[in-house]
Amino acid sequence: MDLTQALDAAQLIGIDWGSSSLRAFLIGADGQALAQRSTGQGASTLSGGVAFAAVLEQVAGDWMHARPALPVLACGMVGSQYGWLDVPYAACPADASAVAAGLRRVAGASGPAIVPGLLHDGGALPPDLMRGEETQIFGALALRPELIAAACIVLPGTHSKWARVDAGRVAGFATHMTGELFAVLRQLSVLGRLMEASGGGAEDAFAQGLDMARDHGHLGLGHQIFAARSLGVTGRMAQDELADYLSGLLIGHELGAGLAWRAEAGLQDAPLALAGSSDLCGRYALALRRYAGVDALVLDNTAPAGLLYLARAAGLAAPASLLTENAS
Amino acid sequence: MDLTQALDAAQLIGIDWGSSSLRAFLIGADGQALAQRSTGQGASTLSGGVAFAAVLEQVAGDWMHARPALPVLACGMVGSQYGWLDVPYAACPADASAVAAGLRRVAGASGPAIVPGLLHDGGALPPDLMRGEETQIFGALALRPELIAAACIVLPGTHSKWARVDAGRVAGFATHMTGELFAVLRQLSVLGRLMEASGGGAEDAFAQGLDMARDHGHLGLGHQIFAARSLGVTGRMAQDELADYLSGLLIGHELGAGLAWRAEAGLQDAPLALAGSSDLCGRYALALRRYAGVDALVLDNTAPAGLLYLARAAGLAAPASLLTENAS
C-alpha cells in the first residue's frame, strides 16, 4: 500500500509519544498501522508547546495537511506534567469509556487529543502509574476480544507493567523497573565494567540467570546480581555472557513477583498476553515458558489498535459498527 | 597523643585501601588507631605500581621514614587485579592463619604486604568475593572474642557483606549490592529526577520503606522501588523524603534476605555484629530493630584491629602474648 492509499483508508492519525521516542501511525479501520514513522524526539527531550508542535508537524505534517479532517490522538508521556499538556490520570478500575472521557485536547487548530494515563490507588500500598500502556492494553482487548472477560496483560519494557483486566476494565496494575535496572546497572555500576557486547545473544546465560532467580530468589535480588561480577572476576562465565545472565536474573525476579501477583488476583487460569516490541515479547515468552511453563499469547504492537479503540470510544473516529455496515 | 608518641607506641602501619578511598592508620598494641589519615585516591583511581607507591609515600611516608622497621600491611582492592598487586583470594572457610598465609609483599624496600581477599565457593551457586571486609571481620573477632565461636557479622556499604563465623573461621558470606543500587538509582534513573537532598534526615520515610519491604516484599524489589516515583508524582510524599524511602526499601530487602540466610545457617541465636562507618552501622542497627526486633552489636571501624590481628598471625608484628609479658 502506497502513502496515497494509506491516507485514503486511514481512520486516525495515532501518535505513541513516550519519554525517549515517538511513533506516528496512519491507522486503518481494523486498527492496523497502514504507515508508520518514528523519531527519537521523545517527550523528555522537548520542552514547551512550540517544540512539541514543531515535532508533530515535522513527523506527520504531510498526513495532517492531506487529510485535515482526520482526527489526531496521542498517548504516552506527551500527556505528563513534563509533556505537551498535563492530562490528569484516570483512576482504576477504568474501561475504555472512562479513559476516553479523560481525553484532553491541546489548544489550537492542529492540536491533538491526548489520552490520560492510569492511576491505580493501592490503598495502604503506594499508588502505581502508567502513561501510554493503557492504550496498548485497550489495543489488546480490541484485537483479542477473548481477553475482555479476564486476562493478565504484560507490557515488558523499561518500566514493565503487569495489568489485570476484568470485564473490559483495567482493574489494577503493577510496575516493575526491570529494564531501567538493567540499564543503570550496566551503565554505571561495577557490574558494567566487565560486561561486553549489548546482550541478547547468550541464551544459556540468560537461562541460567532465570533459573537462579526462580530456584534461589529468596537470597535476594540485591545479592544475586553480584554474581554478574563474581562469575566474571573468577572466569567462570565469559564476559560477553554476563549481560544476558544479569538480564535473566532481573526478568526472573519480575516473573516471580508478577506471577505471584497474578495468582493472588485469581487470574492463573485466565490468558496471559504480552504486548510491545516483538523482540522483548519474544524474550519474555521464552522466559515465562522456562520459568513457569506458562504459554503467553504474544501480540504485536497494540498501540495503533488501542488508539483507534479509544478514539472511537471518545467519538473522534467512526464507530466500528458503522464501518462494518458501510463495508457490507 | 601527639604524633611522636603515636609513632613510639605503634606496632603497625595499616592501610585500608579500597576502590574509592584510602585510610592509613598507626596502630597500637590494642588494635586501636593512634593516628589516621585518609585520601580519595582509591585503587580504582590509580594504575601501575609507581602511582600506588607515590600515594603511599605521600600519605604515610613520614611515618615509614620515622620508623623504618615498622611493618606496613594493606587490605582491600589494592590487592585486586586492577590494584597494586594481584593477590589471589583465600578460600572459605578461612581462619586468620589461612588468610595470613596468603599475604603477598609488593617488591621493593618500602613495598607493603597485602592481605588476600576471600572467595566463597557457592557450589551450584555462583561464587562470592570480598576484599577488605575479611580484615574487618577478623578485627571484630580480635576486639570481641565472644564472636569467635559463632556469629553473623554484617558490614553495610556499597557492597554489604553478611558473613558467617564458625570457630574462628569465616565459613561463608553473601554480598548485597544495596549501596550501589541506591547510588545508581539516584544518579541515573527516573527515580533520581524527583529526589531532593542527599537522604538521611527523613526517618519516617526510611521507616515506611523498611515496613513496605518487610510486609510486602513478595511484590518484588523491582516493583516496590517504583513507588519512590509514584509517591512523588502524586504528591503523596515530599520530594525531600523520597531518597530515604528508597533507602528504607533497599535496606529492608537486604535485611529480609540476610536474616533468612542467617537463620538457614542456624545463627539466629548467635550474636549479630555490625562493623563499618558509624553512620551506616547506626542506620542498620535501627533498621534491624524495627524490621525484626534484632539487637545488633555495633562495633566501630574494625579494620585497624583486623590489620594488626592478621599482621600478628603472619609474624609481621609482635604477638599479643609477648606484648602482654613485656608490659607485666
Side-chain angles (χ1 to χ4, degrees):
Chain A
M1 186 179 291
D2 67 19
L3 181 58
T4 311
Q5 290 172 308
L7 278 166
D8 280 348
Q11 300 287 312
L12 178 72
I13 295 173
I15 317 281
D16 184 0
W17 205 332
S19 287
S20 57
S21 67
L22 173 163
R23 282 177 303 168
F25 308 98
L26 277 179
I27 301 168
D30 58 357
Q32 299 298 324
L34 306 172
Q36 62 178 294
R37 297 169 179 171
S38 64
T39 85
Q41 290 165 297
S44 70
T45 72
L46 301 171
S47 180
V50 173
F52 280 92
V55 170
L56 180 59
E57 172 66 29
Q58 180 192 322
V59 173
D62 60 330
W63 297 351
M64 298 191 298
H65 300 310
R67 293 279 312 269
L70 211 55
V72 183
L73 183 61
C75 68
M77 292 303 282
V78 66
S80 78
Q81 56 181 314
Y82 303 111
W84 194 345
L85 181 69
D86 188 2
V87 183
Y89 291 98
C92 284
D95 61 13
S97 308
V99 172
L103 257 60
R104 293 286 180 276
R105 184 182 291 279
V106 173
S110 64
I114 301 181
V115 176
L118 284 182
L119 184 149
H120 172 59
D121 190 323
L125 295 174
D128 212 325
L129 305 170
M130 62 168 62
R131 278 203 191 271
E133 294 92 349
E134 72 296 324
T135 302
Q136 292 175 261
I137 294 168
F138 288 112
L141 303 188
L143 293 169
R144 297 292 189 133
E146 71 267 31
L147 300 174
I148 291 174
C152 177
I153 301 185
V154 179
L155 307 130
T158 306
H159 297 169
S160 294
K161 308 289 180 185
W162 287 61
R164 186 155 56 87
V165 171
D166 174 37
R169 304 172 311 167
V170 181
F173 61 90
T175 300
H176 294 262
M177 294 186 65
T178 306
E180 183 147 17
L181 276 170
F182 181 72
V184 299
L185 286 170
R186 285 208 59 193
Q187 242 178 293
L188 205 60
S189 85
V190 72
L191 300 183
R193 283 186 218 154
L194 293 172
M195 287 181 187
E196 287 174 7
S198 62
E203 285 174 25
D204 281 359
F206 179 69
Q208 276 183 57
L210 272 181
D211 292 354
M212 279 292 159
R214 180 190 57 201
D215 301 338
H216 305 283
H218 66 284
L219 295 172
L221 179 61
H223 164 63
Q224 290 196 299
I225 57 177
F226 188 68
R229 177 172 173 81
S230 65
L231 288 167
V233 168
T234 56
R236 298 189 191 187
M237 184 173 282
Q239 299 203 347
D240 60 4
E241 297 182 326
L242 296 171
D244 282 296
Y245 181 81
L246 177 62
S247 170
L249 276 176
L250 291 168
I251 291 177
H253 274 270
E254 177 184 334
L255 297 189
L259 290 170
W261 176 88
R262 169 180 174 248
E264 217 171 273
L267 290 174
Q268 62 273 51
D269 298 321
L272 189 158
L274 287 162
S277 85
S278 61
D279 276 7
L280 216 44
C281 287
R283 201 165 174 84
Y284 270 66
L286 198 85
L288 279 161
R289 204 167 305 120
R290 181 173 186 106
Y291 190 100
V294 170
D295 281 316
L297 177 67
V298 176
L299 305 176
D300 286 335
N301 177 13
T302 58
L307 285 161
L308 183 65
Y309 192 63
L310 292 172
R312 283 174 171 162
L316 290 175
S321 55
L322 186 60
L323 290 166
T324 309
E325 283 166 30
N326 287 353
S328 67
Chain B
M1 186 182 290
D2 67 18
L3 181 58
T4 309
Q5 290 171 309
L7 278 165
D8 281 347
Q11 299 287 312
L12 177 72
I13 295 173
I15 317 281
D16 184 359
W17 204 332
S19 287
S20 56
S21 67
L22 173 163
R23 283 178 301 170
F25 308 98
L26 277 178
I27 302 168
D30 58 357
Q32 298 298 323
L34 306 172
Q36 62 177 294
R37 296 168 179 172
S38 63
T39 85
Q41 290 165 297
S44 70
T45 71
L46 301 171
S47 181
V50 172
F52 281 92
V55 170
L56 180 58
E57 172 66 30
Q58 180 193 322
V59 174
D62 60 329
W63 297 352
M64 298 192 298
H65 300 309
R67 292 278 313 269
L70 210 55
V72 183
L73 182 61
C75 67
M77 292 303 283
V78 66
S80 78
Q81 55 182 314
Y82 303 110
W84 194 346
L85 180 70
D86 188 3
V87 183
Y89 290 98
C92 283
D95 60 12
S97 307
V99 172
L103 257 61
R104 294 286 179 276
R105 184 182 291 279
V106 173
S110 65
I114 301 182
V115 176
L118 283 183
L119 184 147
H120 172 58
D121 190 324
L125 295 175
D128 212 325
L129 304 170
M130 62 168 61
R131 279 203 190 272
E133 294 91 350
E134 72 295 326
T135 302
Q136 292 176 260
I137 294 168
F138 288 112
L141 303 187
L143 294 168
R144 297 293 189 132
E146 70 268 29
L147 300 174
I148 290 176
C152 177
I153 301 185
V154 179
L155 307 129
T158 306
H159 296 170
S160 294
K161 308 289 179 184
W162 287 62
R164 186 156 58 86
V165 171
D166 174 37
R169 303 172 311 167
V170 181
F173 61 89
T175 300
H176 294 261
M177 293 185 66
T178 307
E180 183 147 17
L181 277 170
F182 181 72
V184 299
L185 286 170
R186 286 207 60 192
Q187 242 177 293
L188 204 60
S189 84
V190 72
L191 299 184
R193 282 185 219 154
L194 292 172
M195 287 179 187
E196 287 175 7
S198 62
E203 284 173 27
D204 281 358
F206 179 69
Q208 276 183 57
L210 272 180
D211 292 354
M212 280 291 159
R214 180 190 57 201
D215 301 337
H216 305 282
H218 66 285
L219 295 173
L221 179 60
H223 165 64
Q224 291 195 300
I225 57 177
F226 188 68
R229 177 171 174 80
S230 64
L231 288 167
V233 168
T234 57
R236 299 190 191 187
M237 185 174 281
Q239 298 204 346
D240 61 3
E241 296 182 326
L242 296 172
D244 282 296
Y245 181 80
L246 177 63
S247 170
L249 275 176
L250 291 168
I251 291 177
H253 274 269
E254 176 183 335
L255 297 189
L259 290 170
W261 175 89
R262 169 179 172 249
E264 217 171 273
L267 290 173
Q268 63 272 49
D269 298 321
L272 190 157
L274 286 162
S277 84
S278 62
D279 277 5
L280 217 44
C281 286
R283 200 163 173 86
Y284 271 65
L286 198 84
L288 278 161
R289 203 168 305 118
R290 182 173 185 105
Y291 190 101
V294 170
D295 280 316
L297 176 66
V298 176
L299 305 176
D300 286 334
N301 176 14
T302 58
L307 285 161
L308 182 66
Y309 192 64
L310 291 172
R312 283 173 171 162
L316 290 175
S321 56
L322 185 62
L323 291 165
T324 309
E325 283 166 30
N326 287 351
S328 67

